[in-house]
Amino acid sequence: MLRTTTCGQLRTEHVGQTATLCGWVDSYRDHSGVLFVDLRDRYGKTQVVFGPESGADVQEVARSLRSEYVISVTGAVAARPMGTSNPKLATGEIELRATRLEVLNKSVTPPFQPGSIDTPNEDLRLKYRYLDLRRPRMQQTLLLRHRMIKAMRDYFDEHDFVEIETPMLGRSTPEGARDYLVPSRVHKGSFYALPQSPQLYKQILMVAGYDRYVQVARCFRDEDLRADRQPEFTQLDLEMTFVEADDVIGIIDGLVARLAKQLLGRDIPTPLPRMTYDEAMERFGHDAPDLRFGMELIDVTDIAREAEFRVWRGAADGGQRVRGINAKGAAANYSRKGIDDLTAWLTQDFGVKGLSWFKVEESGTLASPIAKNFAAPLLAKIAQRLNAEPGDLLLFVADTFPITCKALYALRKRFGEELKLYAPGSMHCSWVVEFPMFAYNEEEKCWAAMHHPFTAPRPQDAPLLASDPAACRAQAYDLVINGLEAGGGTIRIHDQTLQQQVFGLLGIDAEAARERFGFLLDALEFGAPPHGGIALGLDRWVMLFDGLDNIRDCIAFPKTQKATDLMTSAPGAVEAKQLRELGIKIDSPAK
RNA sequence: GGGGACGUAGCUCAAUUGGUUAGAGUACCGGACUGUCGAUCCGGUGGUUGCGGGUUCGAGUCCCGUCGUCCUCGCCA
C-alpha cells in the first residue's frame, strides 16, 4: 500500500501517530513560511501542513503543487493549534505535519476544479466526467447507489431470491419501445436486440422452477430522453412464483421501509397506501400522482351544464368534462400575463382550447373576464365546490377527459413546484393498482396492452375480455414516489388459452405470436406456475433517495439528450471492414 | 418530428433601448506574507461574444440558417 490512512480517517485520537496519505490536491494556501494543502480522496479531506520543520526541500516541492496533483505525504498527525480547527471538515481537529512529500503525478490545469463551489455547465462535466466524478457531491450519489444496490441484494437474498443473469443479446419484438439492434456477423441481415427488460426470461425462469428471481438488470430503449429517462438504464428486476399481487406489493413495501431506514434513517409506515387507477385519474389526472401535496382535481361538469358560458356548457353537453383546481392563495402570484403564459403553454403542449380562471376577491366573489357568463348562484356553487377563499386562483379546463387530465396534471405539478407546496426533502410512496388491461389506439384502430401482453386480468374481469375489453382491469401495480413511476409490475398469464385470447385482442394472430414469443407459449404448456413480479427503476430510486432532479447525476457515465456520450464521442463511425463483415451498407453516410 | 431556454476570458457570470477600447469574480502566471481553510494583498497574461450569413453608419444585443447543452410535447408495451 502506498498509504497508511485515507483522507477522511484521522481524528484527535490519532494525534502523535505517523501517517502516509495519498490523494488529490484540492486546494493550497501558500503563506511563505508555512503552506497548507487540503488533500482529497473519496473518503474526505485532510489538511496537510508544510512548515519549517518539514525542511526546505520538502517545502520547495510543496510550493510547486497545483490543483489536482496526485501526491503522497508522510508526517505526524497533530492537533491543530488552539482556535484553528475547522468544523466544516470531519478531520478538522487535526492536521498532518508533513516531513516527506512525493508528487505521484502532475495535472494540467483542469478546465474546472472539482473542489470548487459552483458546478460547471453539464456539457463540460460530461466531457471531463473523470473530473466531475471527483466532486464530493457526485461521489456521495454513486456511493449511495452502491449502498442501495447492496441493501437490495441483501434484502432479496434474505427472502430466498436467486440472482440470475439473462442475455443482453436477445431477439427484437415490435411491441413497446424501439429496440437497440446489434447486427449478427454470422447471420448477415439478422439482428439481435438489446433487452428493454428481462421480461420473458424471468417468466421462463419461473417456469423453470427457480421460484424467486432477482437481477440488477441493464435495459435499453431507443426512445427520446427526458430528465428522468436514459436510453440505457438499470432495473431491479424480480419475479415470484405462487403469488398474488398483494405478495409482490408486500415484498416491495418491506424493501421501501428497509431502504428508507437504512439509507435515510427515515421511518416509512407500511403497508404503503394504495389507490386505483381510476381514482388517480379522477383526483389527480395521472397514473403516478404526486401525493406530497393536495390540490386535487375537482369536477364541475354538472355546474357547467347550467352555465350560460358556452365553452363550459358546450363541453358538458357534448359529453366532455369541466374540471379545475384551486391554487390556494396563488391569485397574487399569477398576473393576467402570467395566466396567459400558462394558457399558451397548455395550448401548445396539451391541446387545450382555453383556460378558464377566477380570482377570489376579499369579498369572496369570483373575479374573471368570463364571470359575467355565470349567474351569481352558479359562481357561488363553483366557489363552494372548490372550497374557494379570498386570494385563491381557480383554473378550469373544459375538454375531453384525457385532455383535462393531462392539462390539469401539468398545472398541478407546476404549481406544486412554483408555490413550494411540499417540503424539499419529503418523500411519499404509494401504489396505484387496477390498471386497465388495454388502451385503445385511435390511430391504429386497435387495442394495445397497457403494460405488456403477458399481464393477467383480474380473475373476476376475465369474462370482460370478450364483452368489454375497455372495462377489463389488470392485476397490475405501479409504485409511485413523489409523482414518479418508481416501479411497475403485474401478475402474469400462466395459462396458454388466456394468453391466446389476449393476443387475439391485441391483434397478434396465432402465427405472429408463435413467431415472436413461441418459446414462451411453449413454456406455458409445460407446467407454468402462477407467477408475477415487478421491476424497479433503480436510477430513479437513487435520484429520489438522494434528492436529485435528474437521472444523469445518478449514473456514472450518462448520455446526453441526443443519446451521445460527450466523453467518448459515442456513437461513432466504424471501419468499412466492420460493415462489410456484417453485410451492412450505409444509406446516407454520416457527416 | 414540434415548442421553448441557453451559448460572452480556462470556469461562473455581467454588459442600459443597437452606440466609445466587451467587464467582474475565480482559475492561471509573477511577487509579498509563519496558522490558513472559498486565505489575504500587489501586479500581469487571457476574448474571432459557438459557427455561417443578413439588416444597419454601427451588432454580444435584431433577423435567417446551423451546431451544441438543457427543459418539454409527441414517443417511452
Short mmCIF file of all heavy atoms in Angstrom, two decimals, chain A residues 12 47 79-89 91-95, chain B residues 35-37:
data_model
loop_
_atom_site.label_atom_id
_atom_site.label_comp_id
_atom_site.label_asym_id
_atom_site.label_seq_id
_atom_site.Cartn_x
_atom_site.Cartn_y
_atom_site.Cartn_z
N THR A 12 -8.63 13.19 16.47
CA THR A 12 -7.74 13.56 17.58
C THR A 12 -7.10 12.34 18.23
O THR A 12 -5.98 12.40 18.74
CB THR A 12 -8.50 14.36 18.65
OG1 THR A 12 -9.75 13.74 18.88
CG2 THR A 12 -8.72 15.79 18.20
N GLN A 47 -6.16 18.35 6.06
CA GLN A 47 -5.22 19.44 5.87
C GLN A 47 -3.79 18.96 6.14
O GLN A 47 -3.52 18.40 7.20
CB GLN A 47 -5.56 20.61 6.78
CG GLN A 47 -4.52 21.71 6.76
CD GLN A 47 -5.00 23.00 7.38
OE1 GLN A 47 -5.79 23.72 6.79
NE2 GLN A 47 -4.55 23.28 8.57
N ALA A 79 -2.60 17.70 16.64
CA ALA A 79 -3.77 18.51 16.95
C ALA A 79 -3.52 19.90 16.40
O ALA A 79 -2.39 20.40 16.44
CB ALA A 79 -4.01 18.56 18.45
N ARG A 80 -4.56 20.52 15.86
CA ARG A 80 -4.37 21.87 15.34
C ARG A 80 -4.20 22.85 16.50
O ARG A 80 -4.80 22.65 17.57
CB ARG A 80 -5.59 22.28 14.50
CG ARG A 80 -5.74 21.49 13.23
CD ARG A 80 -6.62 22.25 12.27
NE ARG A 80 -6.96 21.46 11.09
CZ ARG A 80 -7.62 21.98 10.07
NH1 ARG A 80 -8.04 23.23 10.10
NH2 ARG A 80 -7.89 21.24 9.02
N PRO A 81 -3.43 23.90 16.28
CA PRO A 81 -3.28 24.90 17.33
C PRO A 81 -4.62 25.47 17.74
O PRO A 81 -5.56 25.51 16.94
CB PRO A 81 -2.42 25.99 16.66
CG PRO A 81 -1.74 25.32 15.53
CD PRO A 81 -2.66 24.22 15.08
N MET A 82 -4.67 25.90 18.99
CA MET A 82 -5.89 26.48 19.55
C MET A 82 -6.54 27.48 18.58
O MET A 82 -5.86 28.37 18.05
CB MET A 82 -5.50 27.22 20.84
CG MET A 82 -6.64 27.39 21.81
SD MET A 82 -7.32 25.83 22.33
CE MET A 82 -7.34 26.08 24.10
N GLY A 83 -7.83 27.30 18.32
CA GLY A 83 -8.55 28.28 17.52
C GLY A 83 -8.42 28.12 16.02
O GLY A 83 -8.93 28.92 15.26
N THR A 84 -7.72 27.09 15.57
CA THR A 84 -7.56 26.92 14.13
C THR A 84 -8.23 25.64 13.62
O THR A 84 -8.00 25.24 12.48
CB THR A 84 -6.07 26.89 13.73
OG1 THR A 84 -5.46 25.75 14.35
CG2 THR A 84 -5.37 28.14 14.13
N SER A 85 -9.03 25.01 14.44
CA SER A 85 -9.72 23.82 13.94
C SER A 85 -10.82 24.26 12.97
O SER A 85 -11.29 25.40 13.03
CB SER A 85 -10.31 23.01 15.09
OG SER A 85 -11.27 23.77 15.77
N ASN A 86 -11.18 23.35 12.09
CA ASN A 86 -12.17 23.66 11.05
C ASN A 86 -13.37 22.74 11.19
O ASN A 86 -13.34 21.58 10.80
CB ASN A 86 -11.53 23.49 9.67
CG ASN A 86 -12.48 23.88 8.55
OD1 ASN A 86 -13.66 24.18 8.80
ND2 ASN A 86 -12.00 23.89 7.33
N PRO A 87 -14.47 23.28 11.73
CA PRO A 87 -15.66 22.45 11.97
C PRO A 87 -16.31 21.95 10.69
O PRO A 87 -17.12 21.03 10.73
CB PRO A 87 -16.59 23.39 12.74
CG PRO A 87 -16.13 24.77 12.43
CD PRO A 87 -14.65 24.68 12.16
N LYS A 88 -15.94 22.53 9.53
CA LYS A 88 -16.55 22.09 8.28
C LYS A 88 -16.00 20.74 7.83
O LYS A 88 -16.58 20.08 6.98
CB LYS A 88 -16.30 23.13 7.18
CG LYS A 88 -17.09 24.41 7.35
CD LYS A 88 -16.85 25.32 6.15
CE LYS A 88 -17.09 26.77 6.50
NZ LYS A 88 -16.44 27.68 5.53
N LEU A 89 -14.83 20.38 8.34
CA LEU A 89 -14.20 19.11 7.95
C LEU A 89 -14.34 18.09 9.07
O LEU A 89 -14.18 18.41 10.25
CB LEU A 89 -12.71 19.32 7.67
CG LEU A 89 -12.30 20.06 6.40
CD1 LEU A 89 -10.78 20.05 6.27
CD2 LEU A 89 -12.93 19.41 5.17
N THR A 91 -12.26 15.90 9.54
CA THR A 91 -10.89 15.77 10.06
C THR A 91 -10.38 17.11 10.60
O THR A 91 -9.17 17.28 10.80
CB THR A 91 -9.94 15.31 8.94
OG1 THR A 91 -9.95 16.30 7.91
CG2 THR A 91 -10.34 13.97 8.37
N GLY A 92 -11.30 18.05 10.81
CA GLY A 92 -10.91 19.43 11.09
C GLY A 92 -10.21 19.69 12.42
O GLY A 92 -9.71 20.78 12.65
N GLU A 93 -10.18 18.69 13.28
CA GLU A 93 -9.50 18.87 14.57
C GLU A 93 -8.00 18.62 14.46
O GLU A 93 -7.24 19.04 15.32
CB GLU A 93 -10.07 17.91 15.62
CG GLU A 93 -11.53 18.16 16.01
CD GLU A 93 -11.69 19.41 16.86
OE1 GLU A 93 -10.84 19.65 17.75
OE2 GLU A 93 -12.67 20.16 16.61
N ILE A 94 -7.63 17.92 13.39
CA ILE A 94 -6.21 17.54 13.28
C ILE A 94 -5.62 18.04 11.96
O ILE A 94 -6.32 18.59 11.10
CB ILE A 94 -6.02 16.02 13.37
CG1 ILE A 94 -6.83 15.29 12.30
CG2 ILE A 94 -6.42 15.52 14.76
CD1 ILE A 94 -6.14 15.07 11.00
N GLU A 95 -4.33 17.85 11.80
CA GLU A 95 -3.67 18.11 10.54
C GLU A 95 -2.46 17.19 10.45
O GLU A 95 -2.02 16.61 11.46
CB GLU A 95 -3.23 19.57 10.45
CG GLU A 95 -2.24 19.98 11.53
CD GLU A 95 -2.11 21.49 11.67
OE1 GLU A 95 -2.95 22.20 11.10
OE2 GLU A 95 -1.17 21.94 12.34
P G B 35 0.78 33.72 10.47
OP1 G B 35 0.48 34.76 9.47
OP2 G B 35 1.13 34.10 11.84
"O5'" G B 35 -0.44 32.72 10.54
"C5'" G B 35 -1.19 32.39 9.38
"C4'" G B 35 -2.21 31.35 9.73
"O4'" G B 35 -1.55 30.06 9.82
"C3'" G B 35 -2.91 31.58 11.07
"O3'" G B 35 -4.24 31.14 10.97
"C2'" G B 35 -2.17 30.62 12.00
"O2'" G B 35 -2.95 30.21 13.11
"C1'" G B 35 -1.90 29.46 11.05
N9 G B 35 -0.81 28.57 11.46
C8 G B 35 0.49 28.89 11.71
N7 G B 35 1.20 27.84 12.04
C5 G B 35 0.31 26.78 12.00
C6 G B 35 0.50 25.40 12.26
O6 G B 35 1.54 24.81 12.58
N1 G B 35 -0.67 24.69 12.11
C2 G B 35 -1.87 25.23 11.75
N2 G B 35 -2.89 24.39 11.64
N3 G B 35 -2.08 26.51 11.49
C4 G B 35 -0.94 27.23 11.65
P U B 36 -5.43 32.23 10.83
OP1 U B 36 -4.87 33.59 10.91
OP2 U B 36 -6.52 31.81 11.75
"O5'" U B 36 -5.93 31.95 9.35
"C5'" U B 36 -5.34 32.66 8.28
"C4'" U B 36 -5.23 31.75 7.08
"O4'" U B 36 -4.33 30.64 7.38
"C3'" U B 36 -6.52 31.06 6.68
"O3'" U B 36 -7.35 31.91 5.90
"C2'" U B 36 -6.02 29.86 5.90
"O2'" U B 36 -5.62 30.24 4.60
"C1'" U B 36 -4.76 29.49 6.67
N1 U B 36 -4.99 28.39 7.63
C2 U B 36 -5.09 27.12 7.12
O2 U B 36 -5.01 26.88 5.94
N3 U B 36 -5.30 26.12 8.05
C4 U B 36 -5.40 26.28 9.40
O4 U B 36 -5.57 25.29 10.11
C5 U B 36 -5.28 27.63 9.86
C6 U B 36 -5.08 28.62 8.99
P C B 37 -8.93 31.87 6.09
OP1 C B 37 -9.47 32.85 5.15
OP2 C B 37 -9.26 31.95 7.54
"O5'" C B 37 -9.31 30.41 5.60
"C5'" C B 37 -9.17 30.06 4.22
"C4'" C B 37 -9.40 28.57 4.06
"O4'" C B 37 -8.45 27.85 4.87
"C3'" C B 37 -10.75 28.09 4.54
"O3'" C B 37 -11.70 28.26 3.52
"C2'" C B 37 -10.49 26.63 4.85
"O2'" C B 37 -10.52 25.85 3.68
"C1'" C B 37 -9.04 26.66 5.35
N1 C B 37 -8.93 26.66 6.82
C2 C B 37 -8.96 25.42 7.47
O2 C B 37 -9.10 24.38 6.79
N3 C B 37 -8.85 25.38 8.81
C4 C B 37 -8.71 26.52 9.50
N4 C B 37 -8.59 26.43 10.82
C5 C B 37 -8.67 27.79 8.85
C6 C B 37 -8.79 27.81 7.52
#
